[in-house]
Amino acid sequence: MLRLPLAILAAVLAAAPAFAQTADGRPPLVVQGAMSVEVDKLAGLLENVVIDRVGPWTFWRGTLDGYPVIVSKTLKGIANAAAATVLAVEHYHPAAIINQGTAGGHDPRLKLYDIVVGVSSVYIGAFRSPYRAAGTGSNPLEWVPLNLVASEGSAGTDPAALKIARFEGDARLLDAARHATSAYTRARIFEGVIGTSDMWNDEIDLIARFHRDYGTDVEEMETASAAQTAALLGVPFLGIRVVSDNTTNGSAFDPKTGEACEDYVRDVAKAYAAALRR
Ligand code: 5AD
């Protein structure tokens, strides 16, 4: 194997960043989605596209109506979403991040194709279970939430950490989302709460607990993770989710909902870019 002296290798790496900045140097808007059914349409709408890849993560770098936009396929789940968010922030220094895609309803009134704009997102994947003796089973309805970013100490014993981790949507992005609502004619748009974990929940009593205690309207597997990462790195963030399934009213997963969400998010991105120009 060919070996370069370390000093030369370091110089080569420094001179050749893995990504280029957007063409005009303006900070881009990053739009994330986990799966092909959530990003392919948006990526196809970009002009002058260049594709950047890091391992399994793909970034389509281009413009939308002349404004720099990066579409990021984060892959599924909280670890992948956090990793993709760090990569995006480190390499593109974005003005803002939108995480969007499919989600399961936590409210029986939510129909397929309805969209929930995330006034906040909550992390419904971190809990402490109260002690139970061997042979007495398990009851997730009793579990106490853990906020893993609330304190430096042991989260399970610090009272400050014994509440749900919640991340607020950015006001300017929310404004852009409101501007775009009238163009979405496929179904309704609500402002609400997005719940995130690495689980797909179909237990109606557990879903009812999340809905009652934390206000969740939909659940999915990326938004709060990306929101937490964006918050820790100081980047404005908004989650937008389309109802693709709803076990509380018996609606099975419809992957086409992902494209409807992309249509709406395109309009939100344009409204955001227009507001930045003003
Ligand atoms: N529960 C969890 N994740 C869901 N998703 C769509 N519906 C649900 C649901 N009911 C999304 C997740 C993940 C993939 C499984 O689809 O965000 O990316």
Side-chain angles (χ1 to χ4, degrees):
M1 194 179 77
L2 186 66
R3 285 177 193 276
L4 282 175
L6 270 184
I8 296 179
L9 187 62
V12 169
L13 288 175
F19 298 81
Q21 273 296 319
T22 54
D24 60 6
R26 278 181 297 173
L29 175 66
V30 168
V31 181
Q32 303 173 312
M35 303 184 283
S36 292
V37 294
E38 298 167 329
V39 294
D40 283 359
K41 191 170 186 185
L42 276 169
L45 289 170
L46 297 184
E47 306 115 19
N48 310 312
V49 182
V50 178
I51 298 179
D52 297 324
R53 287 185 216 277
V54 182
W57 291 283
T58 309
F59 301 86
W60 291 265
R61 178 161 42 95
T63 53
L64 192 62
D65 280 359
Y67 189 83
V69 170
I70 287 159
V71 175
S72 156
K73 185 175 172 184
T74 64
L75 307 176
K76 289 187 294 246
I78 57 169
N80 282 324
T85 305
V86 171
L87 288 172
V89 172
E90 276 287 290
H91 289 289
Y92 303 115
H93 307 289
I97 298 174
I98 294 175
N99 185 291
Q100 56 87 46
T102 58
H106 275 194
D107 184 323
R109 292 171 295 184
L110 285 172
K111 301 198 177 77
L112 298 194
Y113 291 90
D114 283 346
I115 285 177
V116 173
V117 174
V119 171
S120 70
S121 57
V122 290
Y123 188 47
I124 51 172
F127 292 90
R128 179 167 184 171
S129 60
Y131 176 77
R132 270 177 181 261
T136 59
S138 165
N139 183 2
L141 297 174
E142 294 175 345
W143 293 356
V144 180
L146 289 185
N147 183 336
L148 299 174
V149 288
S151 80
E152 294 256 328
S154 167
T157 52
D158 182 345
L162 300 180
K163 60 177 177 48
I164 204 82
R166 185 179 296 274
F167 307 96
E168 309 296 333
D170 174 70
R172 287 181 88 175
L173 286 166
L174 273 169
D175 264 0
R178 287 172 188 141
H179 266 96
T181 47
S182 59
Y184 187 70
T185 51
R186 186 72 182 74
R188 301 164 299 172
I189 297 189
F190 297 94
E191 294 186 7
V193 179
I194 301 168
T196 305
S197 76
D198 272 334
M199 286 186 64
W200 181 303
N201 295 294
D202 277 328
E203 294 183 2
I204 302 301
D205 289 350
L206 186 58
I207 289 171
R209 187 237 167 148
F210 293 148
H211 183 63
R212 184 193 65 234
D213 290 353
Y214 316 126
T216 54
D217 295 299
V218 288
E219 68 164 46
E220 43 71 90
M221 303 184 177
E222 294 87 20
T223 300
S225 165
Q228 173 183 310
T229 309
L232 293 174
L233 295 172
V235 181
F237 178 91
L238 185 68
I240 298 176
R241 289 282 161 168
V242 67
V243 178
S244 57
D245 51 276
N246 192 338
T247 197
T248 72
N249 62 21
S251 304
F253 182 76
D254 175 354
K256 281 281 172 201
T257 53
E259 288 189 7
C261 192
E262 289 174 276
D263 288 339
Y264 172 63
V265 168
R266 171 202 59 213
D267 293 341
V268 177
K270 287 184 177 184
Y272 187 71
L276 288 186
R277 271 193 213 105
R278 281 198 292 274

